[in-house]
Amino acid sequence: MSGWVVIAGLGPGDEALVTPEVRAALEAATDVVGYIPYVARVAPRDGLTLHASDNRVELDRAAHALDMAAEGKRVVVVSSGDPGVFAMAAAVFEALEAGPQHWRALDIRVLPGITAMLAAAAKAGAPLGHDFCVINLSDNLKPWALIEKRLRLAAEGDFAMAFYNPRSNSRPEGFARALEVLREACADARPVLFARAVSTPQEELRIVPLTEARPEMADMRTMVIVGSSLTRVIQTPRGPILYTPRSA
Amino acid sequence: MSGWVVIAGLGPGDEALVTPEVRAALEAATDVVGYIPYVARVAPRDGLTLHASDNRVELDRAAHALDMAAEGKRVVVVSSGDPGVFAMAAAVFEALEAGPQHWRALDIRVLPGITAMLAAAAKAGAPLGHDFCVINLSDNLKPWALIEKRLRLAAEGDFAMAFYNPRSNSRPEGFARALEVLREACADARPVLFARAVSTPQEELRIVPLTEARPEMADMRTMVIVGSSLTRVIQTPRGPILYTPRSA
Protein backbone atom coordinates (compact mmCIF):
# COMPACT_ATOMS: atom_id res chain seq x y z
CA MET A 1 0.00 0.00 0.00
CA SER A 2 1.53 3.35 -0.90
CA GLY A 3 1.41 6.14 1.59
CA TRP A 4 0.32 9.72 1.20
CA VAL A 5 0.08 13.02 2.99
CA VAL A 6 -3.09 15.09 2.84
CA ILE A 7 -2.99 18.54 4.42
CA ALA A 8 -6.62 19.21 5.23
CA GLY A 9 -8.62 22.19 6.46
CA LEU A 10 -11.25 21.47 9.12
CA GLY A 11 -12.92 24.87 8.76
CA PRO A 12 -13.54 27.26 11.66
CA GLY A 13 -15.20 24.81 14.08
CA ASP A 14 -18.71 23.84 13.02
CA GLU A 15 -18.75 20.29 11.63
CA ALA A 16 -21.28 21.43 8.99
CA LEU A 17 -18.44 23.47 7.46
CA VAL A 18 -16.13 20.48 6.92
CA THR A 19 -16.14 19.56 3.22
CA PRO A 20 -17.03 16.01 2.13
CA GLU A 21 -13.57 15.84 0.51
CA VAL A 22 -11.86 16.37 3.88
CA ARG A 23 -14.27 13.97 5.57
CA ALA A 24 -13.37 11.26 3.06
CA ALA A 25 -9.64 11.80 3.60
CA LEU A 26 -10.07 11.42 7.36
CA GLU A 27 -12.00 8.19 6.77
CA ALA A 28 -9.19 6.80 4.59
CA ALA A 29 -6.36 7.84 6.92
CA THR A 30 -4.21 5.63 9.14
CA ASP A 31 -2.68 8.61 10.99
CA VAL A 32 -3.72 12.14 11.84
CA VAL A 33 -1.21 14.74 13.00
CA GLY A 34 -1.78 18.30 14.17
CA TYR A 35 -2.03 20.82 16.95
CA ILE A 36 -3.84 19.41 20.01
CA PRO A 37 -7.22 21.22 19.68
CA TYR A 38 -7.50 20.40 15.96
CA VAL A 39 -6.69 16.71 16.39
CA ALA A 40 -9.31 16.68 19.16
CA ARG A 41 -11.91 17.41 16.46
CA VAL A 42 -11.22 14.06 14.75
CA ALA A 43 -13.29 11.14 16.04
CA PRO A 44 -11.12 8.20 17.22
CA ARG A 45 -11.71 4.86 15.49
CA ASP A 46 -10.00 1.50 15.05
CA GLY A 47 -7.09 1.68 12.65
CA LEU A 48 -6.55 5.40 13.14
CA THR A 49 -3.70 6.77 15.24
CA LEU A 50 -4.00 10.34 16.46
CA HIS A 51 -0.75 12.29 16.95
CA ALA A 52 -1.50 15.55 18.75
CA SER A 53 1.35 17.98 19.26
CA ASP A 54 1.84 21.40 20.80
CA ASN A 55 1.86 24.71 18.98
CA ARG A 56 5.12 26.04 17.46
CA VAL A 57 6.45 22.65 16.43
CA GLU A 58 5.08 22.88 12.90
CA LEU A 59 8.27 21.76 11.14
CA ASP A 60 8.72 18.71 13.40
CA ARG A 61 5.09 17.77 12.84
CA ALA A 62 5.51 18.17 9.08
CA ALA A 63 8.62 15.98 9.04
CA HIS A 64 6.82 13.36 11.12
CA ALA A 65 3.95 13.30 8.60
CA LEU A 66 6.33 12.97 5.63
CA ASP A 67 8.29 10.20 7.35
CA MET A 68 5.15 8.23 8.10
CA ALA A 69 3.94 8.58 4.50
CA ALA A 70 7.32 7.34 3.27
CA GLU A 71 6.71 4.23 5.42
CA GLY A 72 3.39 3.64 3.67
CA LYS A 73 1.02 5.36 6.10
CA ARG A 74 -1.94 7.45 4.93
CA VAL A 75 -1.45 10.64 6.86
CA VAL A 76 -3.79 13.61 7.28
CA VAL A 77 -2.22 16.79 8.66
CA VAL A 78 -5.09 18.80 10.10
CA SER A 79 -5.35 22.59 10.31
CA SER A 80 -8.30 24.65 11.36
CA GLY A 81 -9.75 26.83 8.62
CA ASP A 82 -7.89 26.42 5.34
CA PRO A 83 -4.48 24.72 5.49
CA GLY A 84 -3.02 27.15 2.94
CA VAL A 85 -3.79 30.36 4.86
CA PHE A 86 -1.37 30.86 7.78
CA ALA A 87 -1.53 27.16 8.55
CA MET A 88 0.19 23.82 8.03
CA ALA A 89 0.55 23.60 4.23
CA ALA A 90 3.45 26.06 3.99
CA ALA A 91 5.16 24.33 6.93
CA VAL A 92 4.93 20.94 5.19
CA PHE A 93 6.45 22.38 2.01
CA GLU A 94 9.23 24.08 3.98
CA ALA A 95 10.03 20.71 5.54
CA LEU A 96 9.78 19.00 2.14
CA GLU A 97 12.19 21.42 0.51
CA ALA A 98 14.75 21.11 3.31
CA GLY A 99 14.32 17.34 3.73
CA PRO A 100 15.63 14.17 2.08
CA GLN A 101 15.18 13.79 -1.67
CA HIS A 102 12.95 10.68 -1.39
CA TRP A 103 10.19 12.74 0.23
CA ARG A 104 9.69 14.55 -3.10
CA ALA A 105 8.30 11.39 -4.68
CA LEU A 106 5.48 11.25 -2.12
CA ASP A 107 1.83 11.80 -2.96
CA ILE A 108 1.09 15.11 -1.18
CA ARG A 109 -2.22 16.93 -1.55
CA VAL A 110 -3.73 20.02 0.02
CA LEU A 111 -7.51 20.00 0.62
CA PRO A 112 -9.00 23.46 1.06
CA GLY A 113 -11.27 24.46 3.93
CA ILE A 114 -13.42 27.40 5.04
CA THR A 115 -10.83 29.80 6.38
CA ALA A 116 -11.74 32.00 9.37
CA MET A 117 -12.09 35.23 7.40
CA LEU A 118 -14.75 33.75 5.11
CA ALA A 119 -16.74 32.37 8.05
CA ALA A 120 -16.44 35.64 9.98
CA ALA A 121 -17.37 37.73 6.95
CA ALA A 122 -20.40 35.53 6.25
CA LYS A 123 -21.69 35.86 9.82
CA ALA A 124 -21.41 39.66 9.67
CA GLY A 125 -22.67 40.15 6.08
CA ALA A 126 -20.16 40.67 3.27
CA PRO A 127 -17.32 42.94 4.43
CA LEU A 128 -14.92 41.23 2.00
CA GLY A 129 -17.24 41.92 -0.94
CA HIS A 130 -14.56 43.83 -2.77
CA ASP A 131 -10.72 44.03 -2.94
CA PHE A 132 -9.04 43.14 0.34
CA CYS A 133 -5.72 42.31 2.01
CA VAL A 134 -5.08 39.42 4.35
CA ILE A 135 -2.38 39.96 6.96
CA ASN A 136 -1.02 37.78 9.75
CA LEU A 137 -0.39 40.19 12.62
CA SER A 138 1.88 37.77 14.45
CA ASP A 139 5.50 38.88 14.40
CA ASN A 140 6.82 35.44 15.35
CA LEU A 141 8.22 34.91 11.86
CA LYS A 142 8.57 38.40 10.38
CA PRO A 143 9.70 41.81 11.61
CA TRP A 144 7.09 44.15 13.02
CA ALA A 145 8.24 46.90 10.63
CA LEU A 146 7.03 44.80 7.68
CA ILE A 147 3.60 44.38 9.26
CA GLU A 148 3.35 48.12 9.80
CA LYS A 149 4.43 48.82 6.22
CA ARG A 150 1.76 46.46 4.89
CA LEU A 151 -0.93 48.06 7.04
CA ARG A 152 -0.06 51.50 5.69
CA LEU A 153 -0.03 50.31 2.07
CA ALA A 154 -3.33 48.47 2.51
CA ALA A 155 -4.88 51.66 3.91
CA GLU A 156 -3.41 53.74 1.09
CA GLY A 157 -4.97 51.35 -1.44
CA ASP A 158 -8.31 51.52 0.40
CA PHE A 159 -8.46 47.75 0.64
CA ALA A 160 -10.66 46.08 3.23
CA MET A 161 -8.37 44.08 5.54
CA ALA A 162 -8.62 40.73 7.31
CA PHE A 163 -6.24 40.10 10.20
CA TYR A 164 -5.28 36.67 11.50
CA ASN A 165 -3.61 36.24 14.91
CA PRO A 166 -4.32 39.81 15.98
CA ARG A 167 -3.26 39.42 19.55
CA SER A 168 -0.94 36.93 21.14
CA ASN A 169 -0.56 36.60 24.89
CA SER A 170 3.17 36.99 24.54
CA ARG A 171 2.99 40.25 22.51
CA PRO A 172 -0.31 41.99 23.20
CA GLU A 173 1.19 45.40 22.35
CA GLY A 174 1.40 44.56 18.63
CA PHE A 175 -2.32 44.84 18.00
CA ALA A 176 -2.57 48.11 19.95
CA ARG A 177 0.12 49.50 17.67
CA ALA A 178 -1.69 48.14 14.57
CA LEU A 179 -4.85 50.01 15.57
CA GLU A 180 -2.86 53.22 16.03
CA VAL A 181 -1.31 52.85 12.59
CA LEU A 182 -4.74 52.27 11.04
CA ARG A 183 -6.35 55.23 12.79
CA GLU A 184 -3.52 57.41 11.52
CA ALA A 185 -3.60 56.00 7.99
CA CYS A 186 -7.39 55.86 7.58
CA ALA A 187 -8.45 58.95 9.54
CA ASP A 188 -12.11 57.98 9.56
CA ALA A 189 -14.62 55.92 11.52
CA ARG A 190 -14.91 52.99 9.11
CA PRO A 191 -16.39 49.87 10.71
CA VAL A 192 -14.26 47.13 12.27
CA LEU A 193 -15.53 43.61 12.91
CA PHE A 194 -14.28 41.57 15.85
CA ALA A 195 -15.42 38.00 15.27
CA ARG A 196 -14.50 35.56 18.01
CA ALA A 197 -14.71 31.76 17.78
CA VAL A 198 -16.94 31.94 14.72
CA SER A 199 -19.24 28.95 14.16
CA THR A 200 -18.61 27.57 17.67
CA PRO A 201 -20.82 27.86 20.78
CA GLN A 202 -18.48 30.64 22.00
CA GLU A 203 -19.11 32.79 18.92
CA GLU A 204 -19.25 36.55 19.57
CA LEU A 205 -19.50 39.29 16.95
CA ARG A 206 -19.00 42.97 17.52
CA ILE A 207 -18.88 45.85 15.05
CA VAL A 208 -17.38 49.17 16.17
CA PRO A 209 -16.05 52.26 14.40
CA LEU A 210 -12.26 52.23 13.96
CA THR A 211 -12.10 55.25 16.26
CA GLU A 212 -13.55 53.11 19.06
CA ALA A 213 -11.71 49.85 18.43
CA ARG A 214 -9.65 48.75 21.44
CA PRO A 215 -6.92 46.09 21.62
CA GLU A 216 -8.74 44.11 24.31
CA MET A 217 -11.64 43.48 21.89
CA ALA A 218 -9.45 40.78 20.28
CA ASP A 219 -7.86 37.64 21.67
CA MET A 220 -6.18 34.60 20.11
CA ARG A 221 -9.50 33.27 18.79
CA THR A 222 -10.59 36.53 17.18
CA MET A 223 -10.60 37.38 13.50
CA VAL A 224 -10.54 41.12 12.82
CA ILE A 225 -11.90 42.63 9.60
CA VAL A 226 -11.43 46.33 8.89
CA GLY A 227 -13.67 47.80 6.21
CA SER A 228 -12.58 49.94 3.28
CA SER A 229 -13.73 53.57 3.24
CA LEU A 230 -16.88 52.37 1.44
CA THR A 231 -17.83 49.55 3.82
CA ARG A 232 -21.28 50.15 5.29
CA VAL A 233 -23.50 49.01 8.14
CA ILE A 234 -27.22 48.38 7.54
CA GLN A 235 -29.26 48.53 10.72
CA THR A 236 -31.99 45.88 10.88
CA PRO A 237 -34.32 44.56 13.59
CA ARG A 238 -32.14 41.41 13.63
CA GLY A 239 -28.91 43.35 14.16
CA PRO A 240 -26.37 45.18 12.02
CA ILE A 241 -25.21 43.88 8.64
CA LEU A 242 -21.70 44.82 7.53
CA TYR A 243 -20.91 44.90 3.83
CA THR A 244 -18.60 46.33 1.21
CA PRO A 245 -20.33 47.29 -2.05
CA ARG A 246 -19.13 45.68 -5.27
CA SER A 247 -17.83 49.00 -6.58
CA ALA A 248 -15.48 49.64 -3.65
CA MET B 1 -44.32 29.53 7.41
CA SER B 2 -41.81 32.37 7.55
CA GLY B 3 -39.52 32.90 4.64
CA TRP B 4 -35.80 33.40 4.53
CA VAL B 5 -32.94 34.18 2.18
CA VAL B 6 -29.72 32.18 2.31
CA ILE B 7 -26.85 33.34 0.13
CA ALA B 8 -24.80 30.20 -0.35
CA GLY B 9 -21.43 29.36 -1.85
CA LEU B 10 -21.28 26.23 -4.02
CA GLY B 11 -17.47 26.14 -4.08
CA PRO B 12 -15.41 26.01 -7.27
CA GLY B 13 -17.18 23.11 -9.00
CA ASP B 14 -16.46 19.75 -7.38
CA GLU B 15 -19.48 18.55 -5.39
CA ALA B 16 -17.08 17.21 -2.71
CA LEU B 17 -16.26 20.85 -1.92
CA VAL B 18 -19.85 21.85 -1.12
CA THR B 19 -20.25 22.14 2.66
CA PRO B 20 -22.94 20.12 4.47
CA GLU B 21 -24.37 23.45 5.68
CA VAL B 22 -25.00 24.58 2.10
CA ARG B 23 -26.35 21.16 1.14
CA ALA B 24 -28.87 21.35 3.99
CA ALA B 25 -30.02 24.83 2.94
CA LEU B 26 -30.62 23.61 -0.61
CA GLU B 27 -32.65 20.70 0.76
CA ALA B 28 -34.82 23.08 2.81
CA ALA B 29 -35.36 25.61 0.01
CA THR B 30 -38.50 26.26 -1.98
CA ASP B 31 -36.69 28.48 -4.51
CA VAL B 32 -33.16 28.80 -5.87
CA VAL B 33 -32.02 31.88 -7.76
CA GLY B 34 -28.71 32.56 -9.47
CA TYR B 35 -26.65 32.85 -12.61
CA ILE B 36 -27.52 30.10 -15.13
CA PRO B 37 -24.42 27.86 -14.74
CA TYR B 38 -24.62 27.94 -10.93
CA VAL B 39 -28.33 27.12 -10.79
CA ALA B 40 -27.57 24.25 -13.18
CA ARG B 41 -25.51 22.69 -10.38
CA VAL B 42 -28.63 22.29 -8.19
CA ALA B 43 -30.55 19.05 -8.68
CA PRO B 44 -34.23 19.62 -9.53
CA ARG B 45 -36.79 18.07 -7.18
CA ASP B 46 -40.49 18.34 -6.35
CA GLY B 47 -41.27 21.47 -4.36
CA LEU B 48 -38.20 23.35 -5.57
CA THR B 49 -38.42 26.08 -8.21
CA LEU B 50 -35.22 27.01 -10.02
CA HIS B 51 -34.89 30.62 -11.23
CA ALA B 52 -31.84 30.91 -13.48
CA SER B 53 -30.91 34.35 -14.75
CA ASP B 54 -28.22 35.86 -16.91
CA ASN B 55 -25.04 37.52 -15.74
CA ARG B 56 -25.03 41.26 -14.88
CA VAL B 57 -28.53 41.29 -13.42
CA GLU B 58 -27.31 40.80 -9.86
CA LEU B 59 -29.47 43.53 -8.31
CA ASP B 60 -32.66 42.32 -10.01
CA ARG B 61 -31.91 38.79 -8.87
CA ALA B 62 -31.29 40.01 -5.31
CA ALA B 63 -34.58 41.95 -5.25
CA HIS B 64 -36.41 38.91 -6.60
CA ALA B 65 -34.97 36.75 -3.80
CA LEU B 66 -35.91 39.30 -1.11
CA ASP B 67 -39.43 39.65 -2.52
CA MET B 68 -39.99 35.91 -2.53
CA ALA B 69 -38.73 35.61 1.06
CA ALA B 70 -41.13 38.39 2.10
CA GLU B 71 -43.92 36.22 0.62
CA GLY B 72 -42.84 33.30 2.84
CA LYS B 73 -40.60 31.42 0.43
CA ARG B 74 -37.35 29.79 1.54
CA VAL B 75 -34.89 31.14 -0.99
CA VAL B 76 -31.28 30.15 -1.67
CA VAL B 77 -29.25 32.57 -3.76
CA VAL B 78 -26.39 30.52 -5.21
CA SER B 79 -22.91 31.77 -6.06
CA SER B 80 -19.92 29.74 -7.11
CA GLY B 81 -17.02 29.79 -4.67
CA ASP B 82 -17.79 31.90 -1.61
CA PRO B 83 -20.78 34.26 -1.84
CA GLY B 84 -18.90 37.00 0.04
CA VAL B 85 -15.93 37.24 -2.34
CA PHE B 86 -16.83 39.08 -5.56
CA ALA B 87 -20.18 37.33 -5.63
CA MET B 88 -23.85 37.66 -4.70
CA ALA B 89 -23.74 38.56 -0.98
CA ALA B 90 -22.72 42.20 -1.54
CA ALA B 91 -25.35 42.53 -4.30
CA VAL B 92 -28.09 41.28 -1.96
CA PHE B 93 -27.08 43.79 0.71
CA GLU B 94 -26.93 46.62 -1.84
CA ALA B 95 -30.50 45.73 -2.85
CA LEU B 96 -31.53 45.43 0.80
CA GLU B 97 -30.16 48.84 1.68
CA ALA B 98 -31.86 50.52 -1.29
CA GLY B 99 -35.11 48.58 -0.96
CA PRO B 100 -38.33 48.80 1.06
CA GLN B 101 -38.04 48.92 4.85
CA HIS B 102 -39.95 45.63 5.39
CA TRP B 103 -37.10 43.67 3.75
CA ARG B 104 -34.88 44.52 6.73
CA ALA B 105 -36.97 42.32 9.02
CA LEU B 106 -36.19 39.26 6.86
CA ASP B 107 -34.07 36.34 8.01
CA ILE B 108 -31.00 36.65 5.76
CA ARG B 109 -27.92 34.48 6.19
CA VAL B 110 -24.69 34.05 4.25
CA LEU B 111 -23.18 30.55 4.12
CA PRO B 112 -19.50 30.51 3.23
CA GLY B 113 -17.97 28.33 0.52
CA ILE B 114 -14.56 27.36 -0.85
CA THR B 115 -13.62 30.40 -2.89
CA ALA B 116 -11.62 29.93 -6.11
CA MET B 117 -8.34 31.24 -4.73
CA LEU B 118 -8.29 28.68 -1.91
CA ALA B 119 -9.04 25.82 -4.30
CA ALA B 120 -6.44 27.03 -6.82
CA ALA B 121 -3.81 27.58 -4.12
CA ALA B 122 -4.43 24.10 -2.68
CA LYS B 123 -4.00 22.42 -6.08
CA ALA B 124 -0.68 24.20 -6.65
CA GLY B 125 0.70 23.92 -3.10
CA ALA B 126 0.44 26.89 -0.73
CA PRO B 127 1.15 30.13 -2.61
CA LEU B 128 -1.11 32.07 -0.19
CA GLY B 129 0.83 30.77 2.82
CA HIS B 130 1.63 34.28 3.94
CA ASP B 131 0.22 37.84 3.63
CA PHE B 132 -1.68 38.40 0.38
CA CYS B 133 -4.01 40.76 -1.48
CA VAL B 134 -7.16 39.76 -3.33
CA ILE B 135 -8.11 41.93 -6.28
CA ASN B 136 -10.97 41.78 -8.75
CA LEU B 137 -9.39 42.79 -12.07
CA SER B 138 -12.75 43.56 -13.68
CA ASP B 139 -13.27 47.26 -14.25
CA ASN B 140 -17.04 46.90 -14.69
CA LEU B 141 -17.68 48.57 -11.35
CA LYS B 142 -14.52 50.54 -10.58
CA PRO B 143 -12.08 52.68 -12.54
CA TRP B 144 -9.02 51.01 -14.05
CA ALA B 145 -6.76 53.59 -12.35
CA LEU B 146 -7.79 52.18 -8.95
CA ILE B 147 -6.92 48.65 -10.03
CA GLU B 148 -3.51 49.81 -11.20
CA LYS B 149 -2.91 51.72 -7.95
CA ARG B 150 -3.76 48.62 -5.91
CA LEU B 151 -1.45 46.45 -8.00
CA ARG B 152 1.46 48.84 -7.40
CA LEU B 153 0.80 49.05 -3.66
CA ALA B 154 0.47 45.26 -3.38
CA ALA B 155 3.83 44.89 -5.14
CA GLU B 156 5.42 47.54 -2.92
CA GLY B 157 4.21 45.65 0.17
CA ASP B 158 5.56 42.38 -1.29
CA PHE B 159 2.20 40.71 -0.81
CA ALA B 160 1.32 37.60 -2.79
CA MET B 161 -1.72 38.44 -4.95
CA ALA B 162 -4.84 36.57 -6.03
CA PHE B 163 -6.73 37.93 -9.03
CA TYR B 164 -10.38 37.21 -9.78
CA ASN B 165 -11.87 37.92 -13.21
CA PRO B 166 -8.49 38.51 -14.81
CA ARG B 167 -9.70 38.67 -18.35
CA SER B 168 -13.11 39.50 -19.71
CA ASN B 169 -14.00 39.04 -23.35
CA SER B 170 -15.19 42.62 -23.51
CA ARG B 171 -11.96 44.10 -22.11
CA PRO B 172 -9.09 41.68 -22.76
CA GLU B 173 -6.52 44.53 -22.72
CA GLY B 174 -6.91 45.06 -18.95
CA PHE B 175 -5.03 41.94 -17.97
CA ALA B 176 -2.20 42.66 -20.41
CA ARG B 177 -1.82 46.04 -18.75
CA ALA B 178 -1.92 44.44 -15.28
CA LEU B 179 0.96 42.15 -16.21
CA GLU B 180 2.97 45.14 -17.49
CA VAL B 181 2.37 47.01 -14.24
CA LEU B 182 3.48 43.98 -12.22
CA ARG B 183 6.62 43.40 -14.28
CA GLU B 184 7.56 47.03 -13.75
CA ALA B 185 6.71 47.02 -10.04
CA CYS B 186 8.23 43.63 -9.18
CA ALA B 187 11.22 43.56 -11.53
CA ASP B 188 11.89 39.87 -10.95
CA ALA B 189 10.89 36.43 -12.18
CA ARG B 190 8.64 35.45 -9.26
CA PRO B 191 6.27 32.59 -10.10
CA VAL B 192 2.73 33.13 -11.38
CA LEU B 193 0.01 30.47 -11.22
CA PHE B 194 -2.70 30.27 -13.87
CA ALA B 195 -5.36 27.93 -12.51
CA ARG B 196 -8.25 27.29 -14.88
CA ALA B 197 -11.56 25.65 -13.94
CA VAL B 198 -10.12 24.26 -10.72
CA SER B 199 -11.76 21.10 -9.37
CA THR B 200 -13.68 20.49 -12.61
CA PRO B 201 -12.86 18.06 -15.46
CA GLN B 202 -11.48 21.05 -17.41
CA GLU B 203 -8.92 21.89 -14.73
CA GLU B 204 -5.55 23.14 -16.01
CA LEU B 205 -2.68 24.46 -13.91
CA ARG B 206 0.36 26.27 -15.20
CA ILE B 207 3.19 27.98 -13.32
CA VAL B 208 5.41 30.44 -15.19
CA PRO B 209 7.85 33.18 -14.17
CA LEU B 210 6.27 36.65 -14.17
CA THR B 211 8.67 37.59 -16.99
CA GLU B 212 7.02 34.93 -19.18
CA ALA B 213 3.38 35.41 -18.16
CA ARG B 214 1.17 36.27 -21.15
CA PRO B 215 -2.39 37.65 -21.17
CA GLU B 216 -3.72 34.75 -23.23
CA MET B 217 -2.79 32.32 -20.43
CA ALA B 218 -5.95 33.51 -18.60
CA ASP B 219 -9.60 33.45 -19.58
CA MET B 220 -12.86 34.05 -17.69
CA ARG B 221 -12.53 30.76 -15.80
CA THR B 222 -8.94 31.37 -14.68
CA MET B 223 -7.74 32.35 -11.24
CA VAL B 224 -4.32 34.01 -11.25
CA ILE B 225 -2.01 33.96 -8.23
CA VAL B 226 1.20 35.97 -8.26
CA GLY B 227 3.78 35.03 -5.64
CA SER B 228 5.59 37.40 -3.30
CA SER B 229 9.34 37.80 -3.80
CA LEU B 230 9.82 34.81 -1.45
CA THR B 231 7.39 32.41 -3.15
CA ARG B 232 9.22 29.28 -4.30
CA VAL B 233 8.79 26.31 -6.60
CA ILE B 234 9.86 22.83 -5.46
CA GLN B 235 10.47 20.47 -8.35
CA THR B 236 9.21 16.94 -7.72
CA PRO B 237 8.69 13.82 -9.86
CA ARG B 238 4.94 14.54 -9.59
CA GLY B 239 5.25 18.12 -10.83
CA PRO B 240 6.09 21.51 -9.37
CA ILE B 241 4.83 22.65 -5.96
CA LEU B 242 4.33 26.38 -5.47
CA TYR B 243 4.49 27.78 -1.95
CA THR B 244 5.12 30.90 0.08
CA PRO B 245 7.09 30.33 3.30
CA ARG B 246 5.51 31.36 6.59
CA SER B 247 8.12 34.05 7.12
CA ALA B 248 7.39 35.91 3.88
Side-chain angles (χ1 to χ4, degrees), chain A residues 9-236:
Chain A
L10 298 178
D14 184 342
E15 296 307 305
L17 295 176
V18 180
T19 67
E21 183 181 63
V22 167
R23 193 65 71 197
L26 289 170
E27 280 161 15
T30 58
D31 295 82
V32 169
V33 307
Y35 178 39
I36 299 159
Y38 309 149
V39 172
R41 290 180 53 192
V42 179
R45 61 168 166 79
D46 281 353
L48 180 68
T49 308
L50 302 176
H51 308 264
S53 48
D54 206 349
N55 214 345
R56 304 208 182 186
V57 294
E58 288 83 3
L59 288 178
D60 295 345
R61 187 188 296 147
H64 184 208
L66 292 160
D67 266 336
M68 286 194 292
E71 290 161 11
K73 303 278 181 70
R74 301 186 296 278
V75 184
V76 176
V77 179
V78 288
S79 282
S80 76
D82 180 274
V85 177
F86 311 127
M88 278 302 296
V92 170
F93 296 128
E94 286 173 41
L96 181 73
E97 191 172 17
Q101 199 65 26
H102 73 270
W103 279 355
R104 297 194 183 199
L106 291 170
D107 176 6
I108 305 173
R109 280 162 294 144
V110 180
L111 306 187
I114 303 293
T115 185
M117 69 179 167
L118 298 185
K123 288 283 176 169
L128 304 178
H130 207 72
D131 301 341
F132 59 98
C133 290
V134 187
I135 301 176
N136 186 344
L137 289 188
S138 164
D139 62 353
N140 278 346
L141 292 165
K142 70 185 159 189
W144 177 259
L146 180 59
I147 296 174
E148 206 167 304
K149 178 181 178 182
R150 286 179 178 160
L151 292 173
R152 288 187 194 283
L153 291 167
E156 188 181 340
D158 200 17
F159 286 97
M161 301 173 218
F163 301 142
Y164 285 73
N165 303 314
R167 197 156 188 256
S168 66
N169 287 329
S170 53
R171 286 186 206 71
E173 68 282 6
F175 184 52
R177 180 70 192 129
L179 288 176
E180 276 171 35
V181 168
L182 289 172
R183 274 193 282 265
E184 220 180 274
C186 300
D188 63 20
R190 68 186 59 191
V192 180
L193 169 69
F194 291 88
R196 183 170 185 279
V198 167
S199 91
T200 77
Q202 292 80 42
E203 176 176 298
E204 282 176 63
L205 264 72
R206 184 171 185 175
I207 298 168
V208 299
L210 176 56
T211 44
E212 291 169 28
R214 298 286 164 262
E216 59 275 14
M217 292 175 183
D219 66 9
M220 286 292 284
R221 298 185 70 193
T222 308
M223 178 82 220
V224 178
I225 295 181
V226 177
S228 77
S229 67
L230 298 179
T231 301
R232 308 174 56 74
V233 177
I234 309 176
Q235 298 297 344
T236 85

Side-chain angles (χ1 to χ4, degrees), chain A residues 246, chain B residues 35 53-61 138 140 168-171 220:
Chain A
R246 295 167 301 152
Chain B
Y35 177 40
S53 48
D54 206 348
N55 214 346
R56 303 207 182 188
V57 295
E58 288 84 2
L59 288 178
D60 295 346
R61 187 189 296 148
S138 164
N140 279 347
S168 66
N169 287 330
S170 53
R171 286 184 206 70
M220 286 293 282

Side-chain angles (χ1 to χ4, degrees), chain A residues 16-18 20-21 84 94 97 104-106 128 130-134 136 142 150 157-158 232 238 243 246, chain B residues 16-18 20-21 84 94 97 105-106 128 130-134 136 142 150 157-158 232 237-238 243 246:
Chain A
L17 295 176
V18 180
E21 183 181 63
E94 286 173 41
E97 191 172 17
R104 297 194 183 199
L106 291 170
L128 304 178
H130 207 72
D131 301 341
F132 59 98
C133 290
V134 187
N136 186 344
K142 70 185 159 189
R150 286 179 178 160
D158 200 17
R232 308 174 56 74
R238 294 172 185 268
Y243 86 101
R246 295 167 301 152
Chain B
L17 295 176
V18 180
E21 183 181 63
E94 286 173 41
E97 191 171 19
L106 291 170
L128 304 178
H130 208 72
D131 300 343
F132 59 98
C133 289
V134 187
N136 186 342
K142 69 185 160 191
R150 286 180 176 161
D158 200 16
R232 309 173 57 73
R238 293 171 185 269
Y243 86 101
R246 295 167 302 153

